Amino acid sequence: MLRVFAKEILNGRIVLDKPLLEKASNRKVWDAIPSNSVAHIIKFSEEHLNYNWPSFLATNFLAFERTGDRMAWQKPMLERRHILANLIIAECIEYNGRFLDDITNGIILTCEETYWGYSAHRYGGTTGIHQNYDPYIDLHAANTGSLLAAATYLLSDELHPTVIERALAEIKFR
């Protein structure tokens, strides 16, 4: 997710002279990023315009209990997070709104997920479908919360207020 972007910075593929902790509306910071440093993020995000977000099926969650297959749930979850993170960064870089609808869809779909963790990480030896009324902090649930928090901060001037409210409510609940 956003750590992929951070890894690109650490590997020297993206070169910044200041930390990227500014809202997308602070164009002085975002416009200072050399276009050749972020071309791959824009290209990847362009390939995911009007993205058909993968579904999370109950049977995918149950696959870990039934067969030990943890990827049936993790693969679509990680794909959603990866796409959303790239779209967020691409919108911050370009700042012309063309990624906002996909970001909005990604945020709301994430909020609609019953569980932000992996099926293999259910606590207490419980089995079956995770109950939304029983949230707990799991590594990947926290990672999802940080992704949504970053999105609502970075794009707070661009996202619809109800999208921000929903994301913040889900973060607080979980």
Side-chain angles (χ1 to χ4, degrees), residues 80-144:
R80 275 190 180 187
R81 304 305 189 266
H82 179 71
I83 302 297
L84 180 57
N86 276 276
L87 290 166
I88 292 164
I89 297 300
E91 183 59 37
C92 289
I93 292 164
E94 270 196 7
Y95 201 63
N96 67 11
R98 73 177 172 142
F99 300 110
L100 282 177
D101 283 350
D102 289 298
I103 293 167
T104 297
N105 288 334
I107 289 172
I108 295 301
L109 282 168
T110 301
C111 290
E112 291 291 324
E113 294 171 13
T114 301
Y115 181 53
W116 287 349
Y118 291 166
S119 57
H121 292 189
R122 293 288 308 278
Y123 67 94
T126 58
T127 59
I129 302 298
H130 187 80
Q131 301 301 317
N132 197 37
Y133 55 78
D134 189 21
Y136 67 97
I137 299 175
D138 166 89
L139 175 64
H140 299 286
N143 195 24
T144 297

Side-chain angles (χ1 to χ4, degrees), residues 35-50:
S35 60
N36 63 339
S37 294
V38 294
H40 61 287
I41 292 172
I42 299 297
K43 182 180 184 296
F44 181 85
S45 297
E46 287 173 337
E47 292 168 0
H48 292 88
L49 281 168
N50 302 308

Side-chain angles (χ1 to χ4, degrees), residues 4-172:
V4 172
F5 186 65
K7 185 177 178 183
E8 295 293 314
I9 293 170
L10 290 173
N11 289 337
R13 288 190 61 198
I14 296 175
V15 180
L16 304 172
D17 62 350
K18 315 176 183 183
L20 264 181
L21 298 175
E22 296 289 335
K23 292 181 177 185
S25 58
N26 183 345
R27 299 316 304 156
K28 182 178 178 183
V29 171
W30 288 94
D31 288 342
I33 302 171
S35 60
N36 63 339
S37 294
V38 294
H40 61 287
I41 292 172
I42 299 297
K43 182 180 184 296
F44 181 85
S45 297
E46 287 173 337
E47 292 168 0
H48 292 88
L49 281 168
N50 302 308
Y51 185 57
N52 185 14
W53 296 90
S55 296
F56 287 7
L57 302 176
T59 51
N60 291 101
F61 193 88
L62 291 170
F64 178 71
E65 177 184 345
R66 292 174 173 171
T67 67
D69 179 6
R70 58 187 297 151
M71 294 312 292
W73 182 261
Q74 285 176 215
K75 185 178 179 199
M77 173 188 274
L78 291 173
E79 182 180 335
R80 275 190 180 187
R81 304 305 189 266
H82 179 71
I83 302 297
L84 180 57
N86 276 276
L87 290 166
I88 292 164
I89 297 300
E91 183 59 37
C92 289
I93 292 164
E94 270 196 7
Y95 201 63
N96 67 11
R98 73 177 172 142
F99 300 110
L100 282 177
D101 283 350
D102 289 298
I103 293 167
T104 297
N105 288 334
I107 289 172
I108 295 301
L109 282 168
T110 301
C111 290
E112 291 291 324
E113 294 171 13
T114 301
Y115 181 53
W116 287 349
Y118 291 166
S119 57
H121 292 189
R122 293 288 308 278
Y123 67 94
T126 58
T127 59
I129 302 298
H130 187 80
Q131 301 301 317
N132 197 37
Y133 55 78
D134 189 21
Y136 67 97
I137 299 175
D138 166 89
L139 175 64
H140 299 286
N143 195 24
T144 297
S146 69
L147 175 63
L148 294 183
T152 59
Y153 170 73
L154 293 170
L155 298 170
S156 61
D157 297 328
E158 293 73 31
L159 291 170
H160 193 280
T162 58
V163 173
I164 294 170
E165 289 171 22
R166 175 66 190 278
L168 295 178
E170 289 295 333
I171 293 166
K172 183 177 179 180

